[in-house]
Amino acid sequence: MLPPFDLSQPQSLADALQALAGKGDTRPLAGATNLVPDLRGKRETCRDFVSLDGVNELRYIKRDGDRVTLGARTTMADILDDSGIRTDAPALYAAAEIFAGRMVRTAATIGGNVCCGSPSADTVPALLTVDAEVTLSSVSGQRTVALDEFYIDYKKSVLRSDELLTSVSWNVPPQNSANLFYKLARRKGDAITVTGVAVMIAAEDGVCTRARIALGSVAPTVFRASAAEDLLAGKALDEAIIEQAARAAADQCAPIDDIRASADYRLQTAFSLTRRLLTQAWKQVS
Amino acid sequence: MNQTEAFPGSIANVNLRQVGKNKPRNDAPTKVHGKAIYAGDFYMEDMLFAKVLHSDRASANIRNVDISAARALRGVHSVLTAADLTACNAVMTDLPGQTGGGTKDTTQPILAADRVRFHGEPIALIAAESYELAQQALDLIVVDYEDTEGVYDPFDSQKPGAAIVYSDDNIVADYKIRKGDIEKGFDEADYVLQNTFTSQYQEQAFMEPEAAVAWVDEHEILNIRSSTQVVEHFRAVANALGIPHNRVHLQAPYIGGGFGGKEVMTIEVWLALLAMDTKRPVKLIQTRENSFLSHGPRHPFTITHKTGVTKDGKVTAMKIKLTSDAGAYAKLSPYILLYATVGATGPYRVDNLWVDATSAATNNLPACAFRGFGTMQANTACEAQMEEIAKLIGMDSLELRRKNFIQPGDPNTTGQIIRSSVWCDQCATQALAALGEQPSNSEHLVYGHGIACYQQSYGRIRWMKDTSESWVGLEMDGTAIVRCAVTDIGAGQMSALAQITGEILGVPMDEITVYFGDGHVNPLAGTSTASRALYMSGKATELAARAVRDNLLQCMARHFEVSPDELDLADSTVFVLDNPERRMSIKDMVKLCAAEGVHRHNLSIFKAPPSEGLDPETGQGEVFPDFTYGAHAAQVSVDIDTGEVTVIKSVGAHDVGQAINLRAVEGQIEGSALMGQGFALSEELILEKGVLKNGSFSEYLIPTSEDVPEIQSIVLESRSGLGPFGSKGIGEPVFAPVAASIANAVADAIGTRIHDLPLTPEKVLRAINENKASR
Amino acid sequence: MSNEKVVTVTVNGSTVKLATPAHRTLLEALRHEGFVEIKCGCEKGDCGACAVLLDGEPVDSCLTLAWHADGREVTTIKGIGQPGNADPLQKAFIETGAAQCGYCTPGMIIAARSLLKDNPDPSLADVKRGLSGNLCRCTGYTRIFEAVQLAARELRGEGEAA
């Protein structure tokens, strides 16, 4: 049973943005797979929602040269059904594959997963490793923000209350690259992530040309381990440098104890999984 | 796989036509078509909807409960608190439907009056025109709590000065066994090993939350249609309400899983009160979150084993201390502790034995019945200890077990002589063989094999003098009817009765109708608990069907001019055994017999063997009718970077006596494999100062489809059981060794033992790191 | 706040009008109309007991607002097949013993139906992944996997379930 709330059902993006404009506490509602449990569990206090269910213009996967853009209403099932995402963003595909259960994947959207701001949102580490950008739209215009700069703090982002995240886009990774994701949880199916790691390694002529490492559930927000990335860029990777980078990534974590795991365990596994994924990725590209 | 030839003593299914075969269950069609109606699916005209206010804290005094605003809300028809229950505010939570008993106080307030003792204790009941109104009313109730110091550890609660939760000393029950000469036993040992093992709360997590509808009918009978394993609760409801037993009609439709969680009364008495108060039908379906608080989960146990063993592997003495956390009320804790006490030595003969067992109250959730019922926790500890002993003395662990298995004719822990077959060795040998080769370790993965054996009772404690009744009849068209109020909790309880009846009367299963679950229309079968439903109701049905058969064959013997034992019934015909051409359809047989006034139906009662209890000083006596034996083996991999455990293969091998429905037996083994895996690896209720922190399916993690290993069932049939056709109870037994085998496999993989369950990735990684550091 | 609205839903081919406020879930609205074959296990998308097909796609009806079903088609287990005209999945569930208590079965068959639509020849791993949002406590899932693969074979014309 949910608490009573208002729901408007615009059929176009323009109407949706209008509905969000000028009102203080109005929030968008897309797949509702997070919102419904949060409303029911009294964690969500908003009582005025704008449904994006009818805003079909936000449900698309577009390609323009190397640029891939997902409309915010694109569901996890859409990502899995698309023939290209597996190569255009392998880590994202991997995250979508193990995203909750089949029914939730039908409903849950990429925009919703990004905007919920949870540190355990599984698509976010993957998107960070492809340097994804998000487009934030409002009646007064739109702006594009690097996903890396989107989150401010636990469940807080730069998104204004009158803005809607309308798309997520990124450039297809370089030819010789590996993009991996690992979700560590207390069971294999449909569980909240304890430690999530995504990496992207591109190489040319035996040298790492681009390194991206993003970690989930080990800090108030999903984040990029930039110090670790810097250690790897421009180098031929070996066991020692990978270990050093993994250590740097773990140093950037600020995990908490909760009922799923201790901070200490999260630190340890952030280190070992980063090391493992970097090793695997380097093996793939060299 | 149905193996009956591999070992001497096993008997193939030579004479059986229906029993033991893979028959689709007769409850399957209605379930797969969405037609099966569960307790929460009933709608009645004029029905009200109920909500229950549960305490949000574990230990507090209640200064006041202000329900004025809730009562004033339009559409709210009843708000009840303890203040309204002036005649009686207590419900019995002893083993239901029995004439015995004999523990301390096993009543529990229906609604908390001046004190709450656990998180979730019910405080107020509401009935309103809709769930939303009931919820609104609930939100308007103001409880003025005064938090009090609680006690949250069963060892703390036994210390002087501890907050008192139960009785005057927090001791809910204690048992002891004194057998042989414990000092002499340890003197004879070459090695002595002591270990302490702990296990956690486990939630039944049946898929259907508690649900019921109650109404007072035109005859002033109180009707309750509830998701319960026990229709005999009508007596406890009547007692609580102060009305005669014959004015309460409790019926159970199909049950969406129970596993013990719907054994003790859950929501029935609340609905009874609301229906009596409002004179309207009232329905309650618990939310999942409230379901976690509405029945008792599995008891956490702390078990210390001190074992003496000779260098050639003979156990000479065991000294075992068992402590369970009963939580805030007794519920079935004394019985569960007794099961753990009897099962403390697993399937092994130990002549010099000392057991001290205590169940202590705390302000934690009151724990109660759950598949395995104490035996499973005790067996898990014992099987870990056996593995550690084998390691200590450098012996193969199965070899060690072989030297100590109890044998038919041996006395068990309480001196009861084992009468049925003990096939632990066969089962363990086959289960281990089925695991196959162990893969070699890779960069991140280490592999391990584990085995565990068990002894688990089936049937209730014998001094409860358990009985079951069933009625079987043949109709004039040759179809058959079984009337037996067994509750069908999903294991095929009802279907098995059709199969048994079909075997005896020669009628195909689909021509047999079973009326079940309604104890005022059908003879009372007793509970679907204690792995007794097939044993007891199956036996009663077998007796009734045989009586019908005997009656009819007497008559037909005159007709065919042969003796009755020269006749048989099969495929809806009666025929002369050595001249099958001489035959008649069952339909014609029934007509002929009916015309001669022969009884074509029968009501039978089956009585379990009784006993008179235990000697309180020595713990010696007869406790259970019989035991099931077997083994489970598991192969796991462990990720040494994360501590994640993957069960790769899980093999259950059990002597089930005789499979009634082989597929249903395998279904029990497979379900157990996963439920035991959950207990071993991921399932744990987390309480902080008694407050449940993970009472939902997103935080309490039962295994999903992605967690399923390759599961293999090996079914052996000694036909030595007390149930129909020599069957034994299996629902709990096949679960008993699973977690132990997985824990043993993990220990094998990582080279060190983790003494507290569940084996979460975090604990496993810590153990790996500590093991590394100590080398 | 939260005025009622009448939404029109086609359930198993029949038109149903639901007068509901915005905060009513499809699960609540349909069960209230008597579609009690849709089971409720957790009300937060963890167990899959309430799964239905919405315009052919599987959703947890407990996470779906009734208003969002306006003008759309809902298929429950009863729309998948009826006795005498059972779906191969239903036959296979009976044949293999994949239903024990039966409470998860309607949602499980809905999820499996959608899995087989997307992937007529699923590997065991595909089946496991496809059903990871449907909890079952009785069976250990093993017979369910068997049933899905048996039905898949029949649907591909490679053999018959029961």
Side-chain angles (χ1 to χ4, degrees):
Chain A
M1 192 187 311
L2 305 178
F5 54 77
D6 281 330
L7 184 75
S8 61
Q9 295 182 285
Q11 299 298 304
S12 72
L13 176 59
D15 287 351
L17 295 179
Q18 201 60 53
L20 285 169
K23 284 204 207 169
D25 193 17
T26 300
R27 299 192 54 196
L29 180 152
T33 57
N34 262 327
L35 265 180
V36 163
D38 282 352
L39 280 162
R40 191 174 161 273
K42 299 180 178 164
R43 293 180 297 275
E44 174 61 61
T45 54
C46 180
R47 294 293 180 266
D48 187 10
F49 296 98
V50 176
S51 170
L52 303 180
D53 203 60
V55 186
N56 287 323
E57 63 197 278
L58 288 180
R59 190 173 177 184
Y60 60 85
I61 298 178
K62 270 190 214 153
R63 288 181 178 76
D64 183 8
D66 273 353
R67 194 72 179 166
V68 184
T69 305
L70 307 185
R73 274 276 288 113
T74 302
T75 65
M76 297 302 140
D78 294 338
I79 288 172
L80 297 174
D81 286 346
D82 184 84
S83 57
I85 300 292
R86 196 193 283 261
T87 48
D88 292 346
L92 176 65
Y93 187 87
E97 259 195 311
I98 52 171
F99 192 99
R102 186 173 188 84
M103 282 70 71
V104 170
R105 292 195 286 269
T106 303
T109 65
I110 190 77
N113 198 233
V114 169
C115 284
C116 77
S118 165
S120 61
D122 282 330
T123 64
V124 178
L127 287 170
L128 282 174
T129 60
V130 290
D131 295 342
E133 294 176 322
V134 291
T135 302
L136 314 180
S137 306
S138 69
V139 285
S140 52
Q142 68 176 45
R143 56 182 176 141
T144 299
V145 176
L147 185 57
D148 194 24
E149 290 163 10
F150 183 70
Y151 300 107
I152 305 169
D153 202 347
Y154 178 69
K155 297 205 171 180
K156 287 207 176 87
S157 72
V158 300
L159 187 74
R160 297 196 311 265
S161 67
D162 65 329
E163 280 180 322
L164 185 66
L165 188 152
T166 46
S167 69
V168 180
S169 58
W170 69 92
N171 285 335
V172 173
Q175 267 294 303
N176 189 33
S177 64
N179 186 205
L180 308 173
F181 175 68
Y182 193 92
K183 172 181 173 130
L184 172 61
R186 285 185 53 175
R187 77 176 171 204
K188 299 200 183 346
D190 196 358
I192 297 169
T193 304
V194 167
T195 305
V197 183
V199 306
M200 146 84 72
I201 294 290
E204 260 174 58
D205 305 327
V207 171
C208 173
T209 51
R210 192 199 296 178
R212 294 289 180 270
I213 302 166
L215 295 110
S217 292
V218 287
T221 68
V222 182
F223 69 95
R224 261 175 63 187
S226 41
E229 294 173 359
D230 293 345
L231 280 169
L232 301 174
K235 300 205 177 82
L237 306 193
D238 59 20
E239 211 174 300
I241 188 126
I242 284 174
E243 172 121 5
Q244 208 184 335
R247 191 66 64 197
D251 285 347
Q252 214 179 318
C253 296
I256 55 163
D257 292 329
D258 66 15
I259 55 169
R260 279 162 233 133
S262 71
D264 189 52
Y265 176 74
R266 289 189 159 99
L267 271 184
Q268 283 187 56
T269 51
F271 164 73
S272 58
L273 290 173
T274 303
R275 183 180 57 183
R276 180 185 298 182
L277 291 197
L278 288 174
T279 307
Q280 284 172 6
W282 181 248
K283 205 180 264 177
Q284 283 182 28
V285 296
S286 54
Chain B
M1 189 194 306
N2 187 3
Q3 299 192 2
T4 51
E5 290 151 32
F7 287 90
S10 61
I11 308 159
N13 288 326
V14 279
N15 298 318
L16 299 177
R17 297 184 176 97
Q18 294 196 36
V19 159
K21 304 295 189 284
N22 265 336
K23 296 269 180 188
R25 273 164 47 177
N26 61 3
D27 54 328
T30 186
K31 287 176 175 173
V32 306
H33 289 108
K35 289 181 174 293
I37 297 294
Y38 296 79
D41 297 341
F42 288 96
Y43 276 78
M44 293 180 74
E45 282 298 308
D46 227 18
M47 189 164 72
L48 298 173
F49 300 86
K51 285 277 174 189
V52 182
L53 177 66
H54 295 271
S55 167
D56 62 2
R57 60 201 70 197
S59 179
N61 291 324
I62 299 178
R63 289 202 199 97
N64 186 42
V65 183
D66 183 356
I67 56 168
S68 51
R71 263 194 186 151
L73 197 65
R74 202 183 151 84
V76 172
H77 291 260
S78 179
V79 181
L80 299 177
T81 67
D84 301 295
L85 309 184
T86 46
C88 174
N89 181 12
V91 67
M92 180 89 152
T93 61
D94 203 341
L95 277 175
Q98 291 303 331
T99 52
T103 50
K104 286 205 258 180
D105 181 10
T106 56
T107 60
Q108 189 171 326
I110 296 169
L111 296 173
D114 51 1
R115 182 178 171 192
V116 291
R117 291 175 170 83
F118 71 95
H119 176 207
E121 186 153 9
I123 294 172
L125 309 171
I126 297 155
E129 293 287 346
S130 71
Y131 278 127
E132 286 185 13
L133 270 171
Q135 183 63 45
Q136 275 180 40
L138 188 145
D139 291 339
L140 289 171
I141 295 176
V142 181
V143 183
D144 183 7
Y145 294 104
E146 176 194 25
D147 286 326
T148 54
E149 195 186 321
V151 60
Y152 306 102
D153 176 283
F155 293 97
D156 289 347
S157 82
Q158 296 177 57
K159 289 177 187 159
I164 294 298
V165 185
Y166 173 86
S167 187
D168 53 6
D169 57 1
N170 288 336
I171 304 299
V172 175
D174 47 21
Y175 295 101
K176 57 187 173 185
I177 293 178
R178 300 290 182 267
K179 190 177 167 191
D181 185 336
I182 191 76
E183 297 307 326
K184 183 169 146 278
F186 281 115
D187 286 346
E188 287 167 6
D190 297 310
Y191 300 89
V192 175
L193 181 67
Q194 183 170 322
N195 276 305
T196 296
F197 304 94
T198 61
S199 61
Q200 75 281 26
Y201 276 112
Q202 186 184 24
E203 157 65 24
Q204 288 84 354
F206 33 69
M207 284 300 113
E208 177 206 28
E210 293 83 351
V213 182
W215 71 99
V216 179
D217 71 15
E218 65 276 23
H219 308 293
E220 292 298 310
I221 304 286
L222 172 65
N223 288 264
I224 309 171
R225 206 180 250 147
S226 177
S227 178
T228 179
Q229 297 174 236
V230 179
V231 291
E232 287 80 0
H233 282 319
F234 72 86
R235 298 187 184 112
V237 172
N239 290 346
L241 270 54
I243 58 178
H245 287 187
N246 67 355
R247 311 294 295 175
V248 181
H249 177 182
L250 178 57
Q251 41 182 319
Y254 284 116
I255 308 303
F259 311 111
K262 295 169 182 170
E263 172 167 359
V264 161
M265 191 168 351
T266 56
I267 66 175
E268 293 84 2
V269 74
W270 303 339
L271 281 168
L273 287 164
L274 289 171
M276 302 277 279
D277 191 47
T278 60
K279 312 275 187 283
R280 285 173 64 174
V282 186
K283 178 198 270 197
L284 172 64
I285 303 176
Q286 282 290 49
T287 61
R288 179 56 60 182
E289 289 80 357
N290 283 347
S291 174
F292 273 84
L293 305 171
S294 299
H295 54 269
R298 180 184 307 286
H299 289 75
F301 266 80
T302 300
I303 302 177
T304 299
H305 265 264
K306 183 180 168 189
T307 312
V309 62
T310 64
K311 58 182 186 304
D312 54 1
K314 183 70 199 162
V315 171
T316 57
M318 276 192 185
K319 191 168 184 178
I320 302 167
K321 183 172 164 58
L322 305 151
T323 305
S324 75
D325 184 347
Y329 290 97
K331 290 191 180 268
L332 303 185
S333 295
Y335 302 105
I336 291 162
L337 185 71
L338 176 62
Y339 273 61
T341 306
V342 176
T345 65
Y348 307 107
R349 175 174 174 158
V350 181
D351 290 336
N352 303 308
L353 177 65
W354 177 294
V355 182
D356 283 321
T358 307
S359 188
T362 64
N363 291 101
N364 293 328
L365 298 178
C368 199
F370 189 169
R371 192 183 211 172
F373 207 80
T375 305
M376 176 266 184
Q377 293 98 312
N379 194 73
T380 303
C382 184
E383 283 298 80
Q385 178 75 351
M386 290 303 276
E387 206 66 37
E388 293 305 295
I389 292 167
K391 201 172 156 184
L392 178 72
I393 69 175
M395 180 177 280
D396 173 78
S397 73
L398 182 52
E399 195 51 39
L400 172 75
R401 288 181 172 90
R402 284 192 182 113
K403 289 176 186 286
N404 294 286
F405 282 134
I406 199 165
Q407 299 298 336
D410 283 351
N412 75 348
T413 42
T414 65
Q416 179 174 338
I417 303 300
I418 300 304
R419 301 284 177 203
S420 69
S421 299
V422 181
W423 283 8
C424 283
D425 189 358
Q426 290 94 317
C427 292
T429 303
Q430 293 200 27
L432 259 183
L435 281 188
E437 285 296 302
Q438 191 159 298
S440 40
N441 295 343
S442 64
E443 200 178 347
H444 306 298
L445 296 178
V446 293
Y447 294 85
H449 276 178
I451 182 91
C453 301
Y454 70 93
Q455 164 190 277
Q456 169 113 34
S457 62
Y458 61 93
R460 295 178 104 175
I461 296 166
R462 283 165 61 176
W463 53 85
M464 298 190 161
K465 311 202 161 76
D466 195 13
T467 61
S468 185
E469 294 184 53
S470 184
W471 183 102
V472 174
L474 275 169
E475 259 315 316
M476 298 301 280
D477 61 355
T479 60
I481 293 175
V482 180
R483 294 193 171 98
C484 180
V486 67
T487 53
D488 194 305
I489 62 172
Q493 280 86 359
M494 183 267 276
S495 188
L497 301 186
Q499 213 163 343
I500 290 164
T501 301
E503 179 71 43
I504 295 165
L505 296 183
V507 179
M509 253 180 97
D510 58 8
E511 291 182 17
I512 301 170
T513 298
V514 182
Y515 293 96
F516 66 101
D518 185 339
H520 285 241
V521 180
N522 302 312
L524 287 173
T527 64
S528 285
T529 68
S531 301
R532 70 172 285 290
L534 175 70
Y535 162 41
M536 297 295 296
S537 67
K539 203 69 195 170
T541 301
E542 181 192 352
L543 292 176
R546 285 200 192 284
V548 171
R549 177 187 168 106
D550 288 350
N551 266 349
L552 298 176
L553 291 189
Q554 289 277 355
C555 173
M556 294 315 292
R558 290 194 295 275
H559 177 81
F560 283 113
E561 295 176 323
V562 295
S563 72
D565 55 11
E566 288 173 84
L567 293 173
D568 202 355
L569 296 168
D571 305 325
S572 296
T573 57
V574 54
F575 56 95
V576 178
L577 267 168
D578 57 9
N579 186 7
E581 295 303 306
R582 298 187 63 202
R583 59 199 299 129
M584 181 190 285
S585 73
I586 285 188
K587 183 178 167 183
D588 291 341
M589 171 185 82
V590 173
K591 277 189 192 148
L592 195 149
C593 292
E596 291 191 18
V598 172
H599 239 189
R600 51 181 209 284
H601 52 78
N602 179 272
L603 171 64
S604 282
I605 184 166
F606 177 68
K607 300 172 196 150
S611 80
E612 294 309 323
L614 294 178
D615 179 314
E617 292 310 311
T618 62
Q620 297 298 288
E622 312 242 310
V623 185
F624 297 113
D626 190 23
F627 301 89
T628 303
Y629 298 89
H632 200 93
Q635 181 188 86
V636 303
S637 71
V638 179
D639 186 319
I640 54 173
D641 287 338
T642 62
E644 289 166 284
V645 176
T646 302
V647 181
I648 299 166
K649 192 158 185 187
S650 198
V651 184
H654 306 275
D655 167 23
V656 303
Q658 165 68 51
I660 302 300
N661 186 327
L662 182 58
R663 193 173 292 165
V665 169
E666 290 171 346
Q668 289 298 302
I669 295 173
E670 290 156 7
S672 283
L674 220 58
M675 187 182 269
Q677 182 177 321
F679 184 71
L681 301 180
S682 65
E683 294 183 35
E684 177 178 28
L685 292 177
I686 298 169
L687 274 61
E688 281 173 19
K689 293 239 172 215
V691 175
L692 180 61
K693 292 294 177 185
N694 62 338
S696 81
F697 278 164
S698 45
E699 298 291 359
Y700 183 84
L701 301 178
I702 69 170
T704 70
S705 57
E706 296 250 47
D707 299 272
V708 180
E710 181 188 344
I711 303 175
Q712 188 180 333
S713 301
I714 299 173
V715 177
L716 305 181
E717 296 175 317
S718 68
R719 282 197 183 168
S720 67
L722 301 178
F725 303 94
S727 58
K728 293 184 168 191
I730 61 153
E732 294 176 280
V734 299
F735 173 71
V738 178
S741 75
I742 293 170
N744 287 344
V746 171
D748 182 44
I750 67 174
T752 185
R753 170 70 56 178
I754 299 164
H755 294 84
D756 54 326
L757 295 176
L759 307 178
T760 60
E762 178 156 6
K763 280 188 212 163
V764 174
L765 184 62
R766 195 183 309 134
I768 290 169
N769 290 340
E770 284 170 3
N771 196 34
K772 238 187 260 170
S774 71
R775 273 197 200 144
Chain C
M1 186 179 276
S2 203
N3 293 328
E4 285 208 345
K5 176 169 134 176
V6 176
V7 297
T8 306
V9 185
T10 305
V11 185
N12 301 331
S14 303
T15 304
V16 179
K17 291 199 181 302
L18 307 168
T20 88
H23 63 277
R24 190 69 43 80
T25 65
L26 186 60
L27 170 65
E28 292 165 336
L30 287 179
R31 276 189 63 89
H32 190 73
E33 284 298 310
F35 295 98
V36 294
E37 70 269 30
I38 312 170
K39 301 304 178 199
C40 172
C42 73
E43 295 176 88
K44 57 198 285 283
D46 294 325
C47 78
C50 68
V52 297
L53 299 178
L54 187 60
D55 285 344
E57 296 300 323
V59 296
D60 286 322
S61 60
C62 71
L63 296 180
T64 308
L65 299 181
W67 282 15
H68 284 162
D70 197 9
R72 300 172 75 177
E73 281 188 22
V74 170
T75 308
T76 75
I77 182 70
K78 287 187 177 173
I80 295 289
Q82 294 277 343
N85 184 26
D87 185 88
L89 272 165
Q90 291 169 316
K91 286 191 252 172
F93 266 60
I94 295 172
E95 175 62 22
T96 59
Q100 284 193 28
C101 88
Y103 200 78
C104 74
T105 307
M108 196 68 82
I109 290 178
I110 291 284
R113 199 75 204 71
S114 122
L115 169 72
L116 292 186
K117 192 187 85 181
D118 288 356
N119 182 355
D121 189 9
S123 67
L124 180 59
D126 294 335
V127 176
K128 287 182 177 185
R129 182 140 298 167
L131 300 179
S132 71
N134 297 78
L135 296 176
C136 168
R137 191 58 155 170
C138 297
T139 65
Y141 304 96
T142 305
R143 308 264 143 169
I144 295 171
F145 301 159
E146 253 178 63
V148 174
Q149 294 197 303
L150 180 62
R153 282 199 296 279
E154 192 194 337
L155 286 163
R156 295 196 306 269
E158 291 169 22
E160 287 209 352

